[in-house]
Amino acid sequence: YFAAMVHDQWLYDSAMSLASQLGYSDGEVVVDLPDEAVQMFEWDHADRIYYEIASHAGHIFGNATVPLPPEIANGPRGPGPRYFLTQVDGVPVRAATIFSAGAGDQLTTVTVAETLAKRDAVVRHIMVAMLPLGTAFTFPCVTGLLSRVVGQADRHQLRALVANVSESRRSPPER
């Protein structure tokens, strides 16, 4: 959960960085980024980064078309970013979309997505780190439960033995 929040915040920061580069000329959205800036934006050692700036007229800028879920594609439902899982070219990604009001009533979406390699690696690392803690907690619980079950079984056997001994003392021996 917390790792996902951190990764989502990175997506949001990246979308905000792209949105800050939006300009408008003759009522149209324009993006003018030097190639070096694009290369820095796209670079990632573990994941592939996808991004798209689009309006009602279609794709404006980016290295991919990032499919938006219908609830996002239909426009904003309040402030803040929207996070979702989707696929780009058949590859699962996590994405963040923000909305930017353009010239007139033009609404622009800025979407940044990344593959899931780092997210999956963080989950694996957390699970491996938690394994000793889980074992340390589970072992005493299991042994305590077993000793209780065994203890209850021993008490039942002891009661049966006491009942048999008591019964044999009350009854005269058979001849």
Side-chain angles (χ1 to χ4, degrees):
Y1 170 77
F2 296 110
M5 287 176 51
V6 169
H7 285 276
D8 283 351
Q9 186 64 47
W10 288 340
L11 288 173
Y12 173 65
D13 291 345
S14 296
M16 290 298 292
S17 293
L18 269 183
S20 72
Q21 299 304 309
L22 296 180
Y24 300 93
S25 176
D26 297 325
E28 296 296 319
V29 177
V30 293
V31 181
D32 186 25
L33 284 177
D35 288 341
E36 294 81 8
V38 171
Q39 289 171 359
M40 286 174 36
F41 188 82
E42 291 179 354
W43 187 89
D44 189 294
H45 76 281
D47 283 301
R48 175 74 200 258
I49 307 299
Y50 301 100
Y51 55 96
E52 179 179 30
I53 298 172
S55 70
H56 68 284
H59 180 87
I60 297 169
F61 179 80
N63 65 355
T65 299
V66 182
L68 301 176
E71 64 273 10
I72 295 173
N74 293 334
R77 302 277 186 261
R82 301 295 183 265
Y83 301 103
F84 56 97
L85 294 170
T86 189
Q87 290 190 359
V88 174
D89 298 329
V91 178
V93 296
R94 177 75 169 169
T97 294
I98 60 172
F99 299 92
S100 177
D105 61 352
Q106 185 176 3
L107 188 64
T108 304
T109 59
V110 179
T111 303
V112 177
E114 74 176 346
T115 54
L116 306 175
K118 282 192 301 269
R119 289 172 187 263
D120 293 345
V122 167
V123 169
R124 281 192 303 276
H125 288 309
I126 290 171
M127 296 303 286
V128 167
M130 295 300 287
L131 188 60
L133 180 60
T135 303
F137 176 74
T138 304
F139 183 74
C141 290
V142 169
T143 55
L145 180 63
L146 285 175
S147 66
R148 183 176 172 102
V149 168
V150 169
Q152 287 177 347
D154 288 346
R155 282 196 300 272
H156 290 299
Q157 289 174 348
L158 185 60
R159 285 185 188 136
L161 179 63
V162 168
N164 283 342
V165 169
S166 296
E167 184 64 31
S168 66
R169 285 189 178 168
R170 284 189 218 134
S171 308
E174 291 184 17
R175 296 196 180 185

